[in-house]
Amino acid sequence: MSPSAPSISQCLPVVLPSVFQCLPVVSPSVSQYSPCLPVSPSVSPSSVSQCPQSLPVPPVCPVWQAAALCVGPELLQQDTIPEDAKARARRLLGACAGHSAGAYSASPGIEAIRQDVAQFLERRDGVPACPQNIFLATGASDAIVSILKLLVFGEGSERSGVMIPVPQYPLYSAALAELGAVQLGYLLAEERAWALDIAELRRVLAEGRRRCRPRALCVINPGNPTGQVQSREDIEAVIKFAYEERLFLLADEVYQDNVYAEGAAFHSFKKVLAQLGPPYTDTVELASFHSISKGFAGECVAPGQGGGHPWVLGFRVAGEAMGGGRGLNPAVPPFPPLFISPIISPIISPISPPQEKQAVLSALAQKAKLTQEIFNRTPGIRCNPVQGAMYAFPRIDLPPRALQAAQAQGQAPDMFFCMRLLEETGICVVPGSGFGQKEGTFHFRMTILPPADKLQVLLQKLSAFYTKFVKEFS
Ligand SMILES: Cc1ncc(COP(=O)(O)O)c(C=O)c1O
């Protein structure tokens, strides 16, 4: 770094704490600081971002081609566009009013696509799915916030409390802060590979009931940032808990395609609930979320680019949830007409042959193992098995002098570590404090998406930096 370049901490904007709570982004924007960063030929700062498309994961072309054809149907005459993309586009345009992607659809999304989604869910779960319970929107984020808006109401001790995991994907804490809901964080059991812990759910619920009205319970499976895949038994136990305690369930399943650890399998809440049968099926209210932005060939579309990310919401008991006196907020906007529905089709009719999908998943499994091995070989770092999603969330021991140095700078200790890492190596990881963690523990999140050779170099550099950091502050 040149002597005159500002340090990263000097570049940080000063924000009010209340504003900061509502910010879902917890890592510094690397491009903002890029003038201050050291250049590393093997590890570019963006290589640890969470978006597959910012890494060398090729875009799913027929999807984009189909989307382009829907907005520019004259391109259907072009010979260079593959027939697969044309067939997708013709079918989708046929389902739009006036054969135009610009026409309003029904509020929950284009009917034909909702039918496709229902078929996809039936194939996935082996239990019936009803198109009327499916809503399409512009991304899981939008969907989750829309549902939370329905669930948050009441004043004082009647204000809605929402149980969310700790650590959690910060969309939840940000949305709950914005809605003024009471956030009830339940700890995932790190010592059991981030499993759900029913005793902890009971503890948090009982504590929450003293100050608010807990109305909903969110589960993220597979986990972000923790990379765990919940067992069928744990999902069953959570459904029974929600039934007993009359909690609305939100199942964030956007990483359902990214399950690769040996012995791990994705079980949807919808399937497990259906298999449990009555009285659970009659009573438990469940909204589950899926998105194409995080599939095994994820397509992260920048918000605002062509309408954002499409998502699928399998809304198990929409009728009861919305009509049952649960305080439907009239200010909730209708689910947006889905201009970009074409992109959702790869979930329903996959583009890549199964062997290709398997190859991507095997590569992820290998990279997950590599990550665990290198971290667990480093004294002071402990990394749980990465079973799914695309993140590792290792725990780091930080020496007391590092804690003091962080305090002197007004930073959380893991933020201090991550900033030093970024400044000295160009590697950007996200501090655990941005996701929430058990008090007195420190973590960071990194993605395992970079190609294996680059990931190996990155992990070795990170491990070496950690060892040097601990020495410096010991
Ligand atoms: C757990 C989780 N839920 C929801 C989302 C948001 O999905 P989308 O990109 O469809 O808005 C993300 C994105 O990173 C996520 O990690």
Side-chain angles (χ1 to χ4, degrees), residues 215-304:
R215 289 195 165 93
L217 165 60
C218 305
V219 177
I220 306 175
N221 179 49
N224 177 9
T226 38
Q228 90 289 4
V229 179
Q230 300 297 354
S231 68
R232 195 187 184 289
E233 295 69 47
D234 282 354
I235 292 172
E236 213 175 287
V238 168
I239 292 173
K240 289 180 177 169
F241 173 76
Y243 165 78
E244 284 159 23
E245 304 294 348
R246 301 197 63 80
L247 294 167
F248 187 103
L249 270 176
L250 289 94
D252 182 333
E253 299 173 337
V254 301
Y255 293 100
Q256 60 188 265
D257 275 325
N258 306 57
V259 174
Y260 35 78
E262 236 174 84
F266 171 72
H267 298 280
S268 76
F269 269 73
K270 182 176 183 302
K271 176 187 80 178
V272 178
L273 175 58
Q275 289 174 349
L276 278 174
Y280 306 102
T281 31
D282 303 333
T283 320
V284 174
E285 296 169 296
L286 164 69
S288 56
F289 306 91
H290 190 15
S291 167
I292 68 154
S293 73
K294 307 292 177 195
F296 67 93
E299 282 282 314
C300 281
V301 186

Side-chain angles (χ1 to χ4, degrees), residues 82-262:
E83 278 311 312
D84 174 14
K86 286 184 181 170
R88 280 170 196 270
R90 284 201 186 95
R91 179 167 176 274
L92 288 160
L93 283 172
C96 294
H99 292 251
S100 165
Y104 280 132
S105 72
S107 297
I110 295 169
E111 178 64 25
I113 296 185
R114 290 162 69 218
Q115 283 169 4
D116 288 352
V117 173
Q119 279 172 20
F120 156 76
L121 293 175
E122 286 186 356
R123 269 200 315 275
R124 185 193 70 181
D125 294 335
V127 297
C130 172
Q132 273 64 53
N133 288 344
I134 289 159
F135 299 82
L136 308 176
T138 55
S141 311
D142 237 11
I144 291 162
V145 172
S146 296
I147 295 300
L148 288 174
K149 281 182 180 168
L150 296 173
L151 293 165
V152 176
F153 56 94
E155 296 300 327
S157 61
E158 283 300 300
R159 189 73 184 155
S160 296
V162 179
M163 298 176 71
I164 58 171
V166 176
Q168 49 104 31
Y169 175 57
L171 165 72
Y172 291 92
S173 48
L176 295 179
E178 195 178 341
L179 295 172
V182 181
Q183 198 173 303
L184 303 172
Y186 62 89
L187 289 168
L188 296 173
E190 181 167 12
E191 62 291 353
R192 291 194 292 117
W194 302 111
L196 286 157
D197 180 353
I198 297 293
E200 168 69 0
L201 291 178
R202 288 199 197 290
R203 180 191 72 77
V204 171
L205 184 72
E207 186 277 321
R209 283 200 169 128
R210 282 187 227 122
R211 53 194 174 108
C212 66
R213 175 73 84 89
R215 289 195 165 93
L217 165 60
C218 305
V219 177
I220 306 175
N221 179 49
N224 177 9
T226 38
Q228 90 289 4
V229 179
Q230 300 297 354
S231 68
R232 195 187 184 289
E233 295 69 47
D234 282 354
I235 292 172
E236 213 175 287
V238 168
I239 292 173
K240 289 180 177 169
F241 173 76
Y243 165 78
E244 284 159 23
E245 304 294 348
R246 301 197 63 80
L247 294 167
F248 187 103
L249 270 176
L250 289 94
D252 182 333
E253 299 173 337
V254 301
Y255 293 100
Q256 60 188 265
D257 275 325
N258 306 57
V259 174
Y260 35 78
E262 236 174 84

Side-chain angles (χ1 to χ4, degrees), residues 362-401:
S362 306
L364 280 171
Q366 260 179 3
K367 291 189 280 186
K369 266 201 182 136
L370 181 73
T371 306
Q372 256 166 266
E373 275 166 21
I374 295 186
F375 281 148
N376 286 334
R377 246 190 269 141
T378 314
I381 305 186
R382 271 149 296 162
C383 184
N384 265 324
V386 182
Q387 302 169 310
M390 46 206 194
Y391 312 105
F393 195 63
R395 179 161 167 177
I396 44 174
D397 292 340
L398 295 178
R401 278 190 49 225

Side-chain angles (χ1 to χ4, degrees), residues 33-101:
Y33 307 126
S34 48
C36 330
L37 296 177
V39 179
S40 165
S42 52
V43 182
S44 81
S46 65
S47 69
V48 284
S49 135
Q50 63 163 344
C51 167
Q53 299 316 310
S54 64
L55 297 163
V57 177
V60 185
C61 281
V63 176
W64 291 107
Q65 286 160 339
L69 290 169
C70 284
V71 286
E74 63 284 357
L75 295 173
L76 282 164
Q77 313 314 323
Q78 297 268 342
D79 293 338
T80 47
I81 304 215
E83 278 311 312
D84 174 14
K86 286 184 181 170
R88 280 170 196 270
R90 284 201 186 95
R91 179 167 176 274
L92 288 160
L93 283 172
C96 294
H99 292 251
S100 165

